[in-house]
Amino acid sequence: MTSPHPRQRGSRELWLDAAYDSLVSDGIEAVKIMGLAKRLNLSRTGFYWFFADLSDLHLALIDRWESRNTGTLVARCDRPAPTICEALFNVMDCWLDPSLFDARLDLAIRNWARVDGALQARLDDADARRIAALTQMFARHGFTPEQAQVRSLTVIYTQIGYISMQVEESRPERLARVQHYVEMFAGMAPAPEDLRRFMARHL
C-alpha cells in the first residue's frame, strides 16, 4: 500500500506544538485530534503516524512540561555559585527567559491537574522536586535545614502566585524588582557585581 505524502501527516513535533498552543490558549478540553488537524490543515489520520491515541499525546505534553520546567529549574538550582545571591539569580533567570521556564505551560498544567488526578500526582511530585532542589541550594550556602526549607517554599510559592494570578508587568518592572526578591529570599543584599552579571544577561 502506498504511504501518504509526508505533508499529509506532518511530524511529531508539529502535532505536539499544535497541541501545546491549544493547551496554553484554551485548556486541555481544546486538545482534540480533529481540531488539531484543522489547525494544521493536515489529514486526521496523519496524527496516528506519531501518537497511538489522544492519551499518548497528553503524555507527550506532560513530558515536555516536566523536562522544560521542572528539569530546567532543578538544573539551575544545581549550578555552582559562590554566593546564595548569585545562586538565586541563576534561578531568577527562569522567570525572565521563557526558553528556560514556560510560565504559560505551567499554568495550563496546573489548571488541567484540577480535573485529572493522575496529573495532579505528577504535579505534586514536580513541586516536591523543585522545593527539594531549592532547599539543597540554600543548605549548600550555610542555611539550617529549617531555614533552607522555608526559604525554598517562599521562592516557589511566590512564583506560583505570579503564574496563577497571571501578573502582568513590563520587563523593566520585573527586572527592577528581581534584586529585591533576591535580597528577601537570601536575607542579604546582592553584591553589585552579582547584580551586574544578572542584568547583563537580560538587557
Side-chain angles (χ1 to χ4, degrees), residues 3-39:
S3 297
H5 192 280
R7 288 185 63 187
Q8 291 182 303
R9 58 178 185 260
S11 69
R12 179 180 172 85
E13 283 304 304
L14 195 65
W15 285 98
L16 187 55
D17 287 346
Y20 162 87
D21 290 339
S22 293
L23 175 65
V24 300
S25 63
D26 301 307
I28 190 59
E29 297 82 5
V31 181
K32 304 294 184 184
I33 299 171
M34 183 59 74
L36 297 177
K38 288 180 179 178
R39 176 189 285 259

Side-chain angles (χ1 to χ4, degrees), residues 16 20 23-24 57-73 100-113 118-130 163:
L16 187 55
Y20 162 87
L23 175 65
V24 300
L57 176 63
H58 287 177
L59 289 174
L61 284 168
I62 295 168
D63 288 343
R64 173 182 282 193
W65 160 75
E66 286 193 328
S67 175
R68 183 170 183 177
N69 284 9
T70 301
T72 300
L73 180 56
L100 295 176
F101 187 96
D102 189 330
R104 294 176 68 212
L105 179 57
D106 222 63
L107 177 62
I109 290 289
R110 291 182 186 280
N111 288 336
W112 179 3
L119 177 56
Q120 183 64 58
R122 289 184 70 165
L123 176 59
D124 291 344
D125 180 68
D127 282 338
R129 287 177 58 203
R130 297 176 189 187
I163 293 169

Side-chain angles (χ1 to χ4, degrees), residues 64-191:
R64 173 182 282 193
W65 160 75
E66 286 193 328
S67 175
R68 183 170 183 177
N69 284 9
T70 301
T72 300
L73 180 56
V74 169
R76 301 299 288 193
C77 291
D78 291 344
R79 291 186 72 171
T83 67
I84 183 56
C85 290
E86 185 164 343
L88 281 163
F89 279 130
N90 288 336
V91 173
M92 295 295 169
D93 286 335
C94 293
W95 315 146
L96 286 153
D97 185 348
S99 71
L100 295 176
F101 187 96
D102 189 330
R104 294 176 68 212
L105 179 57
D106 222 63
L107 177 62
I109 290 289
R110 291 182 186 280
N111 288 336
W112 179 3
R114 297 175 188 274
V115 296
D116 187 318
L119 177 56
Q120 183 64 58
R122 289 184 70 165
L123 176 59
D124 291 344
D125 180 68
D127 282 338
R129 287 177 58 203
R130 297 176 189 187
I131 292 166
L134 282 160
T135 300
Q136 292 163 12
M137 183 187 78
F138 280 108
R140 287 196 300 273
H141 289 276
F143 291 86
T144 67
E146 294 81 7
Q147 292 171 334
Q149 183 179 44
V150 171
R151 288 171 190 272
S152 70
L153 290 173
T154 304
V155 172
I156 289 296
Y157 294 162
T158 298
Q159 187 55 28
I160 290 175
Y162 256 89
I163 293 169
S164 298
M165 294 175 67
Q166 301 184 61
V167 175
E168 293 185 9
E169 58 186 359
S170 69
R171 187 174 183 82
E173 287 176 325
R174 191 79 190 268
L175 278 170
R177 290 176 178 150
V178 167
Q179 62 181 305
H180 302 297
Y181 280 119
V182 167
E183 182 174 358
M184 180 182 68
F185 297 144
M188 64 184 75

